[in-house]
Amino acid sequence: MDDIRELEELDKKHFLHPTSSIEQQQTSGPTFIFKKGSGIYLEDFKGNRLIDGMSSLWNVNVGHGRLELGEVAKQQMTKLAYSSCFATFSHEPAIRLAAKLAEISPGDLTATFFTSGGSEANDTAYKLARHYWILKGQPERKKIISRTKSYHGVTLGATSATGLKPFRDFTNSLATDFFHVDSVKSEALKDLIEKEGPETIAAFIAEPVQGAGGVHIAEGNYFREIKKICTEYGILFITDEVITGFGRTGDWFAINHYAVVPDMMCFAKGITSGYAQLGGVIISEDMFKTFKEKSSGTLLHGYTYSGHPMACAVALKNIELIEEEQLVENAKGMGAHLLDGLIKLKANQNNISEVRGLGLMVAIECKSGSNSSLSPLIVEKAQQKGLICRSVTFDGQDTIVLAPPLIINSDEIQSVLSILNETFTEVRDCC
C-alpha cells in the first residue's frame, strides 16, 4: 500500500493528465493506476480487474498483453530502432506497411504519409489538401468544412475542425478557414458551399461514425450524397477513420459500409492497437499523381517519427493478427450480439431512451432528469462493478459509449450486459 500511496502522491504532484479533471485528480488522486492488461481486461495496483469496455481510447483492437507485438517491437528495435524518412531515406517496415495499407484501403487510396497519431494525421490532411490546390493553381481553395458533433483531435488545426464546441472553447485562438455544418443533413453542406463559394473550399472531412461525439451513425444515403456534392463542386472528401478503422465497425474501414471512396483517409489508433504510436493519411492515386507531376523542391511537411521503423513493424504484425484471427468478422458478429443485448436492456429499463451501434461501437442514450445527466453516474457505478465505459454529455447529450476490443467473445459480451443491467437497475431503484 505504501507503493500505491507514493504513486498517487507523485501523480498529483508531477503528472498533468490529458482530458482529465485537474480538480478531481488533486482531490482524489488517479482513479486507477493500471499495471497489467490481458485480453479485454485491465488490472490496477489495488488488484481491481476491469473489462476495458472502451479499448482504452478506442484503440486496443487486438486486446491487451499480446506478446507477438512485443516480440516484433523488440526484434525491430534490436535491428533498427529508428531512422529518419526525410530526404528520401527509407526502410523496409514503412515501405511494407504503406503497400499493405494500399491493399486493404478503399478504392484507389494508394500512397501514405505517416504521422505519430490521429491529431497529426488530421492536421496533415488539411495541409496536404491545401497544398494540392496550390499545385493545381487554385490557392484560394483553403477552407475546411467539418460536421457538428465531430471530433478530429486536439492539435490546433484538428481542434479547429472539431465540431464539439467545448474543445474549441478550451483555447482563445483557433485556426482560420474552418467551418462546421449540420451533422445529419447533406444539404447543409451544399448550402454552405454555395454561401462561401466553391472556389474557396479545399475539403470536407467527416468521421463515418462519429465517435467521441456520441457514436452517431450516418443514415441512409448520407455519404453517397456527400460524395456527390464534393464531386460536383470539385472539393476533396476526407474521411477520419482514426477511431473507426481496422475492423472497429465490422469492416476494415467504416466508409466501406456506405460504398463510397474518399480522396483522403486519416487513420491511427487501431493500426497498432495502441502498442506503438502511429497514424497517417492515405491519399488517392489522382492526388498522388498530382504531387508527383507538379511538385518541385521539397515537400516541407513531416514529423520526426513519420514512418517510425518499430511502430511500422508493430502495425504490420497487428494487421496480420486482425486478418489471421478474423477480428473484422468477429467485430461484426459480436457487435450485433452486443447491440441485441442492449435493445433487450432498453426494453427492461425505463431510464434508457435509445441504443445504437455499428460493429463494436455502441451507444446508450439515457433519460436524464432536468437538473443532471445520468450517464456520468452510470459510468462511475459500472466502474465499481468492473466495467470501463465512457459518458458523453456534449451538446446536451446524456450518452454512454462502449467500444471493447475486437477479440471479445459472447461470454464476455454477456458480462458487459450483466454489469450494465445491474447498474441501470441500481440507479433506477435508488434515484
Side-chain angles (χ1 to χ4, degrees):
M1 290 299 293
D2 288 342
D3 288 343
I4 296 172
R5 293 192 186 95
E6 180 191 12
L7 289 171
E8 289 173 340
E9 290 306 312
L10 289 172
D11 185 282
K12 289 192 286 185
K13 186 175 181 180
H14 298 294
F15 190 0
L16 183 60
H17 285 250
T19 315
S20 300
S21 167
I22 296 176
E23 179 183 8
Q24 179 183 344
Q25 180 212 19
Q26 292 302 309
T27 301
S28 306
T31 306
F32 299 103
I33 303 177
F34 291 115
K35 68 173 182 178
K36 183 180 179 181
S38 178
I40 69 164
Y41 296 95
L42 288 169
E43 184 179 323
D44 76 354
F45 271 82
K46 295 179 181 179
N48 296 303
R49 188 168 183 255
L50 299 95
I51 296 172
D52 186 2
M54 283 303 302
S55 298
S56 289
L57 283 175
W58 318 83
N59 60 337
V60 188
N61 287 13
V62 300
H64 297 280
R66 299 302 298 257
L67 299 180
E68 307 97 315
L69 297 181
E71 184 59 34
V72 163
K74 176 184 176 182
Q75 290 175 1
Q76 184 59 50
M77 291 175 75
T78 301
K79 182 169 58 177
L80 178 67
Y82 174 76
S83 69
S84 166
C85 291
F86 284 28
T88 73
F89 290 11
S90 199
H91 54 75
E92 185 175 5
I95 295 169
R96 297 286 185 196
L97 180 58
K100 183 64 179 178
L101 289 170
E103 176 189 324
I104 65 175
S105 294
D108 67 342
L109 295 178
T110 191
T112 295
F113 187 101
F114 289 112
T115 69
S116 303
S119 294
E120 286 183 0
N122 278 283
D123 267 21
T124 294
Y126 313 144
K127 290 182 71 175
L128 290 181
R130 287 164 170 167
H131 186 65
Y132 169 83
W133 288 116
I134 290 172
L135 293 177
K136 297 278 282 187
Q138 300 179 57
E140 66 280 2
R141 282 189 179 263
K142 56 186 179 179
K143 295 173 183 176
I144 307 294
I145 303 173
S146 60
R147 299 195 291 166
T148 56
K149 292 188 174 68
S150 65
Y151 177 80
H152 298 293
V154 293
T155 51
L156 184 59
T159 296
S160 303
T162 290
L164 298 168
K165 190 172 181 294
F167 284 92
R168 302 199 305 273
D169 290 344
F170 177 79
T171 181
N172 60 2
S173 181
L174 295 168
T176 58
D177 294 316
F178 285 87
F179 299 81
H180 305 92
V181 294
D182 185 275
S183 62
V184 297
K185 299 175 182 177
S186 59
E187 59 267 26
L189 174 61
K190 189 165 188 173
D191 291 345
L192 182 59
I193 291 170
E194 291 286 354
K195 177 183 176 183
E196 295 295 324
E199 72 281 357
T200 70
I201 312 296
F204 171 74
I205 185 168
E207 302 160 278
V209 178
Q210 293 184 318
V215 184
H216 295 284
I217 303 159
E219 295 183 359
N221 293 321
Y222 175 80
F223 278 111
R224 283 190 284 273
E225 292 167 358
I226 287 295
K227 176 66 175 180
K228 183 179 178 181
I229 291 168
C230 288
T231 301
E232 177 184 351
Y233 291 102
I235 293 166
L236 296 172
F237 175 37
I238 307 169
T239 53
D240 179 349
E241 297 261 8
V242 170
I243 286 175
T244 54
F246 302 95
R248 171 58 56 192
T249 66
D251 206 318
W252 272 106
F253 298 97
I255 198 64
N256 290 340
H257 292 287
Y258 306 101
V260 170
V261 178
D263 299 293
M264 309 171 74
M265 184 173 74
C266 302
F267 62 85
K269 293 188 184 290
I271 190 171
T272 65
S273 288
Y275 283 71
Q277 301 94 323
L278 185 67
V281 184
I282 184 165
I283 66 174
S284 69
E285 182 64 43
D286 178 72
M287 287 191 70
F288 193 35
K289 181 180 178 182
T290 297
F291 285 133
K292 289 186 290 185
E293 292 180 351
K294 295 185 177 294
S295 294
S296 61
T298 302
L299 180 70
L300 292 173
H301 181 68
Y303 304 100
T304 299
Y305 297 119
S306 290
H308 190 283
M310 181 274 289
C312 290
V314 169
L316 281 165
K317 185 63 178 180
N318 179 69
I319 292 171
E320 180 183 310
L321 291 175
I322 293 173
E323 290 177 323
E324 289 181 349
E325 298 176 12
Q326 298 182 317
L327 296 184
V328 177
E329 293 81 0
N330 194 63
K332 181 178 180 180
M334 290 299 103
H337 182 25
L338 178 57
L339 185 58
D340 181 63
L342 292 177
I343 291 170
K344 293 175 181 176
L345 180 68
K346 175 180 177 294
N348 294 321
Q349 298 287 346
N350 61 8
N351 43 16
I352 299 175
S353 61
E354 180 191 354
V355 297
R356 57 181 178 270
L358 185 63
L360 284 170
M361 284 182 74
V362 299
I364 306 166
E365 288 282 353
C366 298
K367 291 181 181 177
S368 54
S370 57
N371 297 323
S372 63
S373 298
L374 182 61
S375 59
L377 179 60
I378 295 290
V379 168
E380 180 183 356
K381 289 187 175 295
Q383 282 181 181
Q384 295 167 4
K385 297 178 184 296
L387 172 65
I388 297 170
C389 45
R390 180 189 285 190
S391 168
V392 175
T393 56
F394 301 117
D395 296 330
Q397 298 180 87
D398 192 5
T399 306
I400 297 160
V401 297
L402 290 131
L406 309 190
I407 60 169
I408 196 167
N409 61 40
S410 57
D411 289 341
E412 293 164 338
I413 292 285
Q414 193 56 50
S415 295
V416 170
L417 292 169
S418 295
I419 292 173
L420 288 171
N421 184 55
E422 291 174 16
T423 304
F424 273 98
T425 299
E426 181 179 308
V427 171
R428 179 192 66 196
D429 293 345
C430 76
C431 305

